[in-house]
Amino acid sequence: MYKKILLPTDGSERSRDAIRQGMAFAKWAGATVVGFHVIQPFSVSVFGQPVTSDVLPQNRYIEAVRHVGESLLAEIERAARDAGVPYSGSSIEAESPAMAIVAAAENEGCDLIIMASHGRGGLSGLLLGSQTIKVLAHCKIPVLVCR
């Protein structure tokens, strides 16, 4: 039924839990997994106004977050290898993680996304927004949310 599953990660513990569950599901279903990580562009602002930073210059920021993304994808690759599940992975720089996840699922030909919910509710969820909710709202393929 499901042959190609997108497993997005932000490196959080909940995301790691969703990857573990997604890997078990992929093994059971005989599916391939696609690890995915979104690098958000460098942005420092105060009250909505851009601020330059000498503390962490943009080029060092991009280098650091790319390294983090590579290590997160390597975690998924190791889990896939340990489970005997076929794997591919990628990362992309994008303003909106949710829209990048939806686009990656479509571009990779995935038929399921398995991702974490950070459980933000109430005012926090309303103000901060939830990438999972945005994926659910914009995605045309099934999304399995792990809480």
Side-chain angles (χ1 to χ4, degrees), residues 3-113:
K3 295 298 171 198
K4 199 167 190 183
I5 302 170
L6 187 75
L7 298 177
T9 183
D10 63 5
S12 67
E13 195 53 43
R14 287 192 181 198
S15 181
R16 286 181 170 100
D17 287 342
I19 289 165
R20 282 188 284 274
Q21 292 178 50
M23 204 60 70
F25 183 85
K27 183 173 182 168
W28 172 82
T32 297
V33 296
V34 178
F36 187 69
H37 176 71
V38 178
I39 297 167
Q40 290 192 276
F42 183 81
S43 174
V44 177
S45 65
V46 176
F47 302 113
Q49 299 299 314
V51 176
T52 58
S53 173
D54 294 330
V55 177
L56 184 60
Q58 183 173 356
N59 62 339
R60 293 213 31 230
Y61 166 83
I62 294 296
E63 180 183 313
V65 294
R66 281 189 180 145
H67 178 71
V68 168
E70 290 169 5
S71 68
L72 293 173
L73 291 175
E75 284 181 26
I76 301 173
E77 184 175 16
R78 276 190 300 279
R81 187 175 45 249
D82 291 348
V85 172
Y87 168 84
S88 67
S90 66
S91 63
I92 188 171
E93 187 175 328
E95 290 282 338
S96 168
M99 297 313 293
I101 290 167
V102 170
E106 291 172 359
N107 294 340
E108 292 284 342
C110 295
D111 46 19
L112 178 65
I113 299 171

